[in-house]
Amino acid sequence: MTTSYAGASAHYLSPRRRDPVKRFWEEPVNHRILDRALGFVEGDPVRVVDVGAGTGDGLALLEAATDRPLDYTGIDPDPEMVTTATTTHADRTGVRFVQADVRDDLDLAPDLWLSAGAPWSHLDHDDFRTTLVRLLRDAARRDRPTAVVVDTLGRWSPEWPTHWEDERWDYRMSFFQDAGDDPVAAPMSTHSRWSIDAAVLEADVPLAALEFHDRAVTVGRHTTTGAFHPGLPDYRGLVNALYDGDTAVDLPALHLDPPSGHAPDEVTAFFAAFAALWNARLDRALEQEAALGRTPSRRRALAADLCALEHGAAPGLGVGHSLIALIVVAP
């Protein structure tokens, strides 16, 4: 996690990055996971360490999910991020940001290890496994439950099928807002349910919960950039337009073809079944509009329906932009 993000703070502080998809499609997944996590922990205040905290996205997500008092420490190896976060949250009590790397022995024992924005993907797979195993074993020595939220890039996102065979590859943050013309680039690791589960099994600790959640299967930011899959429809932009009630959107443009690439049978079967459900919902919307006409309210309702469809179908395999694991270590 040593990549410099010089200049990237502008993206994380830009209001433009919180588009409708982020607010209504992606963030509710985080809120749901954090609500689950907080249901297991007992701290008052809840002691939180946010891994790869950046400018404090995880803190904002956490505070939207709970009104419980927090003792929050955000750690990040990038000094610019730490400086920006410290300045941004200077008036907050119980909130601090420090320059640190989760791979180091930090002598921390929070109730909740938080992460948001796939910071764990900055680690190569060996560092990921070693670090997560150590963290889970340390948590098992506590006398109360510890929740660990591990946020990574999904191995089999439709945004990058040409990289499905690669565990780690050069990733460009070309979706950054207000961060200049030269996108931040860094080697990043992608993960599946199985790669995270392997580390959990190696840790061999008592668990109260182990859950996997796919986030943004169809509407990841690289559907807009096309950086890794040229020709992929701009699903995110189209769905944002639906949320805005845009009646000019051509619904057939949202048709979903199952992505193809090197993947396990479970992944291939999921995409085939999900694409059929998605396209059937679009066909129904077209029939309704042919009979009743296009209206902004129907477009907004369709966006909400497609979101509910994805949330209900996502299998937690690593088929979205993000794969988030919730691991709760029992005392």
Side-chain angles (χ1 to χ4, degrees), residues 142-214:
R142 301 182 72 226
D143 61 358
R144 60 189 188 189
T146 302
V148 184
V149 176
V150 179
D151 195 326
T152 69
L153 293 174
R155 177 71 178 268
W156 296 294
S157 171
E159 299 160 276
W160 44 74
T162 57
H163 286 290
W164 282 4
E165 292 189 73
D166 305 322
E167 288 190 336
R168 188 168 175 83
W169 42 278
D170 290 336
Y171 182 87
R172 297 185 303 280
M173 289 74 164
S174 49
F175 54 82
F176 273 10
Q177 298 283 353
D178 303 326
D181 297 328
D182 187 19
V184 174
M188 298 283 275
S189 301
T190 56
H191 283 273
S192 68
R193 174 197 294 261
W194 297 285
S195 64
I196 298 175
D197 199 37
V200 176
L201 289 171
E202 182 178 337
D204 191 24
V205 296
L207 298 178
L210 176 60
E211 303 172 3
F212 297 90
H213 304 264
D214 294 306

Side-chain angles (χ1 to χ4, degrees), residues 127-328:
D127 278 351
F128 174 88
R129 177 184 50 78
T130 300
T131 302
L132 184 55
V133 167
R134 173 177 51 79
L135 187 153
L136 294 176
R137 288 176 176 171
D138 288 347
R141 287 190 279 271
R142 301 182 72 226
D143 61 358
R144 60 189 188 189
T146 302
V148 184
V149 176
V150 179
D151 195 326
T152 69
L153 293 174
R155 177 71 178 268
W156 296 294
S157 171
E159 299 160 276
W160 44 74
T162 57
H163 286 290
W164 282 4
E165 292 189 73
D166 305 322
E167 288 190 336
R168 188 168 175 83
W169 42 278
D170 290 336
Y171 182 87
R172 297 185 303 280
M173 289 74 164
S174 49
F175 54 82
F176 273 10
Q177 298 283 353
D178 303 326
D181 297 328
D182 187 19
V184 174
M188 298 283 275
S189 301
T190 56
H191 283 273
S192 68
R193 174 197 294 261
W194 297 285
S195 64
I196 298 175
D197 199 37
V200 176
L201 289 171
E202 182 178 337
D204 191 24
V205 296
L207 298 178
L210 176 60
E211 303 172 3
F212 297 90
H213 304 264
D214 294 306
R215 181 177 180 263
V217 175
T218 51
V219 291
R221 289 192 184 273
H222 284 298
T223 64
T224 294
T225 70
F228 309 112
H229 188 179
L232 182 69
D234 180 8
Y235 292 112
R236 191 184 190 97
L238 291 166
V239 170
N240 276 330
L242 292 181
Y243 275 120
D244 289 337
D246 188 346
T247 57
V249 173
D250 183 21
L251 294 188
L254 277 158
H255 180 87
L256 182 62
D257 290 321
S260 61
H262 183 77
D265 290 344
E266 294 96 324
V267 171
T268 302
F270 161 73
F271 278 122
F274 179 68
L277 292 171
W278 177 278
N279 294 331
R281 182 62 190 90
L282 291 176
D283 290 343
R284 189 161 69 250
L286 283 166
E287 292 172 0
Q288 291 171 341
E289 291 190 348
L292 302 172
R294 298 183 182 185
T295 67
S297 62
R298 289 195 183 93
R299 289 300 171 93
R300 287 188 285 268
L302 175 59
D305 285 350
L306 292 172
C307 176
L309 174 64
E310 181 182 295
H311 286 185
L317 294 175
V319 296
H321 182 93
S322 303
L323 174 66
I324 307 174
L326 170 60
I327 310 162
V328 182

